[in-house]
Amino acid sequence: MPLLVEALISLLLLAGGVFVFIGSLGMAHLRDFYMRLHGPTKATTLGIGCMLIASMGYFWSMDGKPDIQELLITLFLFITAPVSAHLLAKTGLHMQLKHIEKTQGKPVELRSEEVGEKPVPHPDKGHG
């Protein structure tokens, strides 16, 4: 394997590890649900993407032909992570999860004329 390819793969693996670590720290140390969404959706997604691209480069250099599986996994990850984060944030807004003042705002979903007092029935309240 050429030294340049080996250095590039090593750099991608190190960058991926750093991003995953930072995303994990963010998920563990940020104060509320909305802030914690940033860890897995941004930094961790980029970290896993770097690692998958490094894997693709390694096997391409060893076998002499590109494998498309890692690229497809990376593409799938980059498409689905923002969608799932958006759905989680919307669910948090509709369930009116507690938040700290830094993340307080007046999103459309929480205006009283558009959302009732309890927009989502909670299972522990015994509705039904």
Side-chain angles (χ1 to χ4, degrees):
M1 178 181 331
L3 183 63
L4 183 62
V5 173
E6 197 171 317
L8 181 64
I9 290 170
S10 299
L11 180 69
L12 282 170
L13 285 173
L14 284 173
V18 167
F19 280 121
V20 168
F21 180 69
I22 290 171
S24 300
L25 281 179
M27 199 162 130
H29 290 292
L30 292 174
R31 295 186 202 126
D32 70 355
F33 174 77
Y34 303 105
M35 292 174 79
R36 284 187 187 127
L37 274 176
H38 293 288
T41 57
K42 294 185 178 43
T44 307
T45 302
L46 189 56
I48 297 295
C50 285
M51 289 181 187
L52 284 168
I53 291 172
S55 172
M56 186 177 69
Y58 173 77
F59 287 110
W60 190 354
S61 68
M62 295 305 282
D63 296 340
K65 59 181 170 101
D67 273 339
I68 200 76
Q69 287 92 355
E70 286 94 353
L71 187 62
L72 291 174
I73 292 169
T74 305
L75 182 65
F76 180 75
L77 180 71
F78 285 164
I79 290 171
T80 58
V83 172
S84 62
H86 177 75
L87 291 173
L88 284 169
K90 294 276 285 188
T91 302
L93 287 172
H94 286 292
M95 292 183 71
Q96 297 180 352
L97 295 178
K98 293 180 183 178
H99 50 77
I100 62 172
E101 292 300 316
K102 283 184 181 180
T103 57
Q104 183 176 8
K106 287 293 184 186
V108 174
E109 292 87 355
L110 295 181
R111 290 186 187 154
S112 59
E113 64 268 11
E114 294 180 2
V115 177
E117 288 183 27
K118 289 222 176 260
V120 176
H122 295 279
D124 60 339
K125 301 295 184 193
H127 294 286

